[in-house]
Amino acid sequence: MSGRTLEEAAREAATCTRCRLAQGRTQVVYGVGNPDAELMFLGEAPGYHEDRQGEPFVGAAGQLLNRLLAEIGIPREDVYINNVIMCRPPNNRDPFDDELEACRPWLDERIRLIDPRVIVTLGNWATRYVLGRQVSISRVRGQRFTWNGRTVIPTFHPAAILHGGGEASSQMTALRADFQEIRRALAEAPPPAPQEQLGRA
Ligand code: URA
């Protein structure tokens, strides 16, 4: 898996049969966006529309994500959007542990190749993936964590707004506040490169 480009990795992923989800999918939903993005969004798994179109976050949750991005002045094309699972689980059920494990090398590789400075985890599954433990999203949302040298900001999954309290809910207010935190994290100067830390030219 080492030394190849994102495009090459995506081409190989398109024929992945590492777990049972390969049987029911229309296609693999690898990820979309800027391959050099500073900001990565990590969701759960493709839904009906994503499975059909081959692109993450194109349904209703994706529309809300686009709107939140526009509110902080970031075009969707500038970021990278992907999920912890590349194939749609039947009836949008939660992913099983062995499916998450089967997909993990693909995501680890994507993160390594894109090398984002900030990763926003949308909802419980993505946050659990990064923090390595079961967490309550309402407790950790909006906080900054450091993971493999990257800043991680968990927040609510946009679908939680759509299926929950809607635009007027406290969750939506929190989600908007977390997007302001994302904007601030991106505006801060990146940490110095290792050679600068050692004082070399
Ligand atoms: N929900 C997700 O977590 N990912 C998608 O791509 C779409 C909906």
Side-chain angles (χ1 to χ4, degrees):
M1 269 203 184
S2 65
R4 62 181 176 181
T5 64
L6 194 64
E7 230 168 88
E8 288 164 346
R11 211 171 308 130
E12 191 188 313
T15 58
C16 179
T17 52
R18 288 184 199 170
C19 81
R20 66 182 75 72
L21 296 180
Q23 290 152 27
R25 73 180 180 224
T26 304
Q27 59 195 310
V28 165
V29 182
Y30 186 75
V32 72
N34 176 1
D36 299 314
E38 287 214 295
L39 175 59
M40 172 183 277
F41 285 89
L42 189 55
E44 180 182 331
Y48 174 83
H49 295 286
E50 290 77 19
D51 173 68
R52 288 297 167 108
Q53 294 184 41
E55 180 172 329
F57 283 93
V58 289
Q63 302 305 313
L64 180 52
L65 177 62
N66 293 349
R67 200 141 53 80
L68 287 158
L69 275 170
E71 284 178 15
I72 58 166
I74 299 178
R76 179 176 164 110
E77 305 71 51
D78 283 8
V79 307
Y80 197 86
I81 304 174
N82 61 171
N83 290 302
V84 288
I85 290 277
M86 297 192 298
C87 299
R88 183 188 183 210
N91 302 313
N92 299 337
R93 67 155 166 77
D94 287 343
F96 295 155
D97 282 346
D98 63 334
E99 294 160 357
L100 288 160
E101 279 316 304
C103 228
R104 178 177 285 271
W106 294 114
L107 176 55
D108 285 345
E109 182 186 36
R110 259 188 326 270
I111 293 173
R112 190 169 46 75
L113 290 171
I114 295 160
D115 197 20
R117 189 150 63 84
V118 179
I119 300 179
V120 176
T121 55
L122 300 169
N124 285 314
W125 288 99
T127 305
R128 185 180 120 178
Y129 174 90
V130 169
L131 299 185
R133 62 195 155 91
Q134 201 94 36
V135 287
S136 151
I137 191 69
S138 7
R139 280 187 177 219
V140 295
R141 58 142 281 267
Q143 295 179 38
R144 292 191 201 185
F145 296 85
T146 302
W147 180 59
N148 296 339
R150 308 179 200 284
T151 298
V152 173
I153 304 178
T155 192
F156 290 122
H157 195 294
I161 310 296
L162 301 171
H163 301 141
E167 290 277 333
S169 63
S170 58
Q171 274 187 335
M172 184 67 194
T173 306
L175 190 56
R176 280 213 163 90
D178 295 349
F179 269 67
Q180 292 300 329
E181 184 62 13
I182 296 165
R183 190 183 55 72
R184 279 192 292 274
L186 284 170
E188 285 173 12
Q195 50 282 46
E196 288 166 359
Q197 284 173 338
L198 291 172
R200 286 198 238 119

